[in-house]
Amino acid sequence: MKGDVIDEAALVMDRRDSVATALEDLETGRTLSDGKRDVSLSDEVPFGHKFALEPIDRGDEIFKYGAVIGRATDDVPSGSWVHTHNCESTRGRGDQQEETG
């Protein structure tokens, strides 16, 4: 499997990622450690959903797969569930692409 598994419960696809993906339903208060940092979950994170590995400020880009997948619409503390309530997708949006030429 590509990426790094954290405590057999979450997957980080690339070292540049600011989020991890839950490999199972994760409960509030659970602490996960990748050996470099401990992340205590402040929200329940459903299987397949993302949580912040580090604080993400409003307006900051969110990285998954080593690439930008969205932008934070609110401040996102470390351990918070990252979803449509605090992140907007920038992938495949013509209105978000830089003009060239």
Side-chain angles (χ1 to χ4, degrees):
M1 176 186 305
K2 183 179 188 219
D4 295 315
V5 177
I6 303 171
D7 289 343
E8 299 181 17
L11 177 65
V12 179
M13 296 298 295
D14 188 277
R15 63 177 177 74
R16 296 168 286 191
D17 290 354
S18 53
V19 296
T21 302
L23 297 175
E24 59 188 54
D25 291 338
L26 300 175
E27 296 181 11
T28 302
R30 182 166 179 182
T31 299
L32 304 172
S33 179
D34 65 3
K36 297 179 284 187
R37 62 186 155 212
D38 293 335
V39 178
S40 183
L41 300 178
S42 55
D43 300 303
E44 290 184 6
V45 182
F47 167 77
H49 286 241
K50 300 174 292 300
F51 62 89
L53 292 168
E54 56 199 32
I56 304 168
D57 293 331
R58 181 181 182 167
D60 282 357
E61 294 175 326
I62 297 173
F63 286 81
K64 183 177 176 182
Y65 317 110
V68 175
I69 62 159
R71 183 174 300 111
T73 56
D74 286 310
D75 290 340
V76 182
S78 175
S80 295
W81 178 38
V82 176
H83 199 54
T84 57
H85 66 286
N86 58 11
C87 173
E88 67 178 357
S89 177
T90 55
R91 295 182 75 134
R93 287 187 53 179
D95 65 325
Q96 297 287 322
Q97 296 176 354
E98 292 183 31
E99 293 185 30
T100 59

